[in-house]
Amino acid sequence: MVKQIGKGRYGEVWMGKWRGERVAVKVFFTTEEDSWFRETEIYQTFLMRHDNILGFIAADIKGTGSWTQLYLITDYHENGSLYDYLKSNTLDVNAVLKLAYTSVSGLCHLHTEIHGTQGKPAIAHRDLKSKNVLVKKNGTCCIADLGLAVKFNSGTNEVDIPPNLRVGTKRYMPPEVLDESLNRTYFQSFIMADMYSFGLIVWEMTRRCSSGGMVEDYQLPYYDLVPTDPSYEDMRKVVCFKKQRPAFANRWGSDECLRQIGKVMSECWAHNPASRLSALRVKKTLAKMLDSQDIKPSHSDT
């Protein structure tokens, strides 16, 4: 273990060295064993490997009788999370499209069931936010933090929900989670909840995109509508009752590309889950926009 690089409610993240390479080591508190187990199980799902999902290396439990440490070892990305990256970088349109396209590609892979003798179940993330998306050296993203993920077994039509009670991050919760109307037996409802959170992440990216010499400072979604550490009540008032959503900067309207991205995020965070765009739909739309910018997503990004 070389140095601590992050801390969350589940434990700490360290940068470590393994066989001469840098790796990220997530150390879970013993109280978070369910999250460790869930995340390990999801990463080890067959056909889970994807360029835009954080690369899993190993999981381990170390300890003596009274003292235990739960490790999850993954690829290391020095840019850190999208949240850190956006705070310290301004972007051009191509960079935003690349970040958004690769994030949704990872999400799309997660959401998709792959049929076959050793297929992959459809998986919903349930805690999507800019702190759980990492930025690689080449400006593409990968999705991390799968400790709350839900799997769908289409054979038995069962939704496999992890036992831990932690349900995600209030600020990014869709209206149906905040008002507790989400149907937990219908897997698709978890997929649509992810898409709402994804819309908010795209809004965070777009604020940091300069156009006409202007750019907004980095802010979390709803920064101007709720306190720093909002309660369920704060979020419910804004999202469910007033049906407010993050505001668009005026300048987005005068840039064709930002206007289109704005349309995508609005259709992701629609109040009615059934009218939200799917990850595949968003992926196709962004791929088309990248093409029109004359930037083909390189082979490794697709």
Side-chain angles (χ1 to χ4, degrees), residues 189-205:
S189 53
F190 292 106
I191 293 276
M192 296 184 289
D194 275 356
M195 293 315 295
Y196 167 92
S197 312
F198 180 75
L200 297 180
I201 294 174
V202 176
W203 175 87
E204 291 174 66
M205 295 175 184

Side-chain angles (χ1 to χ4, degrees), residues 139-153:
T140 64
C141 287
C142 61
I143 290 179
D145 274 284
L146 301 168
L148 290 178
V150 176
K151 292 196 289 191
F152 180 60
N153 181 337

Side-chain angles (χ1 to χ4, degrees), residues 60-95:
D60 196 12
I61 296 186
K62 262 179 105 158
T64 52
S66 59
W67 172 89
T68 320
Q69 279 193 315
L70 308 162
Y71 290 153
L72 183 78
I73 302 156
T74 62
D75 291 344
Y76 172 75
H77 297 294
E78 62 191 62
N79 281 329
S81 70
L82 179 63
Y83 168 79
D84 297 324
Y85 188 75
L86 293 175
K87 284 208 300 196
S88 50
N89 293 278
T90 54
L91 313 167
D92 59 18
V93 165
N94 293 329

Side-chain angles (χ1 to χ4, degrees), residues 176-292:
E176 65 273 21
V177 171
L178 291 167
D179 68 12
E180 296 177 356
S181 64
L182 180 134
N183 177 356
R184 292 167 70 90
T185 57
Y186 177 54
F187 178 70
Q188 205 52 37
S189 53
F190 292 106
I191 293 276
M192 296 184 289
D194 275 356
M195 293 315 295
Y196 167 92
S197 312
F198 180 75
L200 297 180
I201 294 174
V202 176
W203 175 87
E204 291 174 66
M205 295 175 184
T206 311
R207 279 180 62 91
R208 302 297 285 145
C209 177
S210 65
S211 68
M214 291 190 289
V215 68
E216 286 80 47
D217 58 342
Y218 175 77
Q219 292 289 358
L220 284 167
Y222 300 112
Y223 73 99
D224 48 348
L225 300 170
V226 299
T228 320
D229 185 12
S231 66
Y232 281 107
E233 210 27 66
D234 295 327
M235 291 310 302
R236 254 198 304 271
K237 209 176 283 170
V238 169
V239 176
C240 305
F241 305 134
K242 297 184 183 168
K243 298 191 178 172
Q244 286 175 290
R245 293 295 181 269
F248 287 11
N250 291 333
R251 66 184 180 90
W252 298 1
S254 45
D255 181 297
E256 183 49 31
C257 196
L258 295 186
R259 208 180 54 72
Q260 285 180 31
I261 296 175
K263 187 169 179 295
V264 168
M265 62 181 94
S266 312
E267 291 183 26
C268 285
W269 67 42
H271 196 79
N272 173 5
S275 43
R276 292 178 199 150
L277 298 175
S278 69
L280 182 60
R281 181 69 266 155
V282 174
K283 184 181 169 181
K284 286 178 172 169
T285 303
L286 294 173
K288 217 181 256 154
M289 290 172 71
L290 271 164
D291 273 356
S292 65

